[in-house]
Amino acid sequence: MKKIALGLSTVALALAAANSQAGEVEVLHWWTSGSEATAINVLKKEMEDAGNTWKDFAVAGGGGESAMTVLKSRAIAGNPPAAAQIKGPTIQEWGDLGFLANIDDVAKAGHWDQILPPVVSKVMKYDGHYVAAPVNVHRVNWLWANPDVFRKAGASIPTTWDQFFVAADKIKKAGFTPLAHGGQAWQDATLFEAIALSEGTDFYKAAFIDLDDDAIKGPKMIDALTTFKKMRQYVDPGFSGRDWNVATSMVINGKAAMQVMGDWAKGEFTSAGKKPGIDYICVPAPGTSGQYTFNIDSMAMFQVDSEDTQKAQKDLARLILEPTFQEAFNLAKGSIPVRLGMPRDKFDTCADSSMDAFNAASASGDLLPSMAHGMSVNSMVQGAMFDVITNFFNTEDMTAEQAADKLSRAVKASL
Ligand code: GAL
């Protein structure tokens, strides 16, 4: 029997409309770092300017795991927020449970089918109808580096993982932390995914999209796991549990040389007043220059009774795709606009290269949904992968072969 997504069988029974006040939208999100808060405040202000009341429902925790847990309990209680940051296949899971509201009229008026890349619009629809509005495109496979630390260590910016370890040894010898990392499951998965991506697009697709068992426990996976485990030698002793933005600040402050993280990290560099190419370097994660793992944030709308709230939801959806919001939000967030044909002049060189890479990867077939950010698999498979990846990283005597085997079994059990 098909397992019910999200383990929410009881939720469907408890389904009740959200009871928000007139013209008020309660918005669930996990954007609590400095740059994330600046970015979401753009939307809050635009909503207020349009005469609506914004009820902020922020649940701290990068990657959104805690936010999703809170959302489930609110839904089970029959009181979901009017809008929530839900991404990728999870939108389908909530759609299956009958929670989401149809916003086709807004999409039609705003020509969303024309202004969005098909790879995006497909995900925003449930059963052929728009239920969510996309805000951005994040590239996940980035390496962020502090050039000053590299200079002091006499190291060069790596373009392969072999070069990464050569540079990391020099940096360590010079007294810096080579890799700024936060030991949280989603950050471990973000780092691991970048390494696995360098094993090739075919492998990535087989392992993280098609869930092909031969790929999941095969030699390329074992190779990627081996490289991943080696990273343990290059993080500082305090890495466990660290928030991603604290890790980014280590690169900003010159305590650490590098971070492998999606371009929300750039938001932190920007809000610290740092300039790309001068104060920091953005390059594709080693071995992945032609590839692009994408992470698209979106706001899904929940069914509500109040007509005023319904109107406010439509304002929210409409404003999200307007050029003004797309520009201001993405400048602060570190991502690029999801709306096609936006002027590039205000965007920096990292965003420029992300835009070029998105187009090139889309043409070459190397545009890939991020597993670590809930784009490629549902939340059950993702959770199973996270558990094995993190466990392996933190268990000294587990071999890569054992981890690959565990991964294969965990994925099968979650299907
Ligand atoms: C991702 C999200 C990004 C970013 C990051 C860290 O899942 O898509 O927008 O904020 O988490 O919180």
Side-chain angles (χ1 to χ4, degrees), residues 230-294:
K230 227 175 141 183
M231 294 292 168
R232 273 305 295 261
Q233 301 162 38
Y234 300 97
V235 300
D236 68 316
F239 83 100
S240 192
R242 176 186 287 138
D243 285 333
W244 68 272
N245 52 314
V246 176
T248 308
S249 72
M250 292 168 66
V251 181
I252 295 176
N253 301 333
K255 266 190 78 171
M258 301 175 268
Q259 183 182 21
V260 176
M261 187 48 66
D263 44 21
W264 44 95
K266 198 194 73 185
E268 296 294 301
F269 284 99
T270 307
S271 72
K274 303 295 178 193
K275 298 271 169 284
I278 302 163
D279 305 311
Y280 69 97
I281 308 284
C282 59
V283 287
T288 71
S289 67
Q291 297 159 294
Y292 193 116
T293 33
F294 66 83

Side-chain angles (χ1 to χ4, degrees), residues 30-31 36 62-63 87 138 186 244 264 295 297 333 373:
W30 62 88
W31 288 329
E36 288 174 330
K87 309 189 291 185
H138 274 300
W186 73 273
W244 68 272
W264 44 95
N295 173 20
D297 290 312
K333 189 72 169 67
H373 293 277

Side-chain angles (χ1 to χ4, degrees), residues 36-70:
E36 288 174 330
T38 307
I40 190 72
N41 276 334
V42 173
L43 191 56
K44 176 176 188 248
K45 172 138 198 324
E46 289 193 2
M47 280 298 279
E48 288 171 349
D49 288 350
N52 297 297
T53 307
W54 175 282
K55 192 169 170 199
D56 203 47
F57 184 7
V59 181
E65 221 176 319
S66 309
M68 289 302 104
T69 306
V70 174

Side-chain angles (χ1 to χ4, degrees), residues 226-390:
T226 307
T227 305
F228 174 55
K229 191 68 163 274
K230 227 175 141 183
M231 294 292 168
R232 273 305 295 261
Q233 301 162 38
Y234 300 97
V235 300
D236 68 316
F239 83 100
S240 192
R242 176 186 287 138
D243 285 333
W244 68 272
N245 52 314
V246 176
T248 308
S249 72
M250 292 168 66
V251 181
I252 295 176
N253 301 333
K255 266 190 78 171
M258 301 175 268
Q259 183 182 21
V260 176
M261 187 48 66
D263 44 21
W264 44 95
K266 198 194 73 185
E268 296 294 301
F269 284 99
T270 307
S271 72
K274 303 295 178 193
K275 298 271 169 284
I278 302 163
D279 305 311
Y280 69 97
I281 308 284
C282 59
V283 287
T288 71
S289 67
Q291 297 159 294
Y292 193 116
T293 33
F294 66 83
N295 173 20
I296 292 155
D297 290 312
S298 45
M299 288 292 171
M301 305 300 158
F302 280 72
Q303 286 170 22
V304 291
D305 273 345
S306 152
E307 274 180 28
D308 288 327
T309 303
Q310 287 173 11
K311 272 193 215 123
Q313 281 178 320
K314 288 184 178 171
D315 274 349
L316 185 73
R318 176 179 56 79
L319 289 168
I320 283 173
L321 264 307
E322 299 257 309
T324 353
F325 171 78
Q326 286 287 313
E327 183 170 271
F329 175 87
N330 286 299
L331 284 172
K333 189 72 169 67
S335 38
I336 59 171
V338 69
R339 185 186 170 115
L340 296 168
M342 287 280 299
R344 287 188 180 204
D345 46 308
K346 294 223 178 80
F347 287 90
D348 62 24
T349 51
C350 303
D352 237 359
S353 97
S354 177
M355 292 175 198
D356 290 343
F358 183 91
N359 294 338
S362 151
S364 64
D366 296 296
L367 185 63
L368 301 160
S370 164
M371 178 281 290
H373 293 277
M375 295 283 115
S376 75
V377 289
N378 69 32
S379 54
M380 309 260 253
V381 177
Q382 186 198 32
M385 288 191 163
F386 276 21
D387 284 351
V388 177
I389 292 164
T390 286

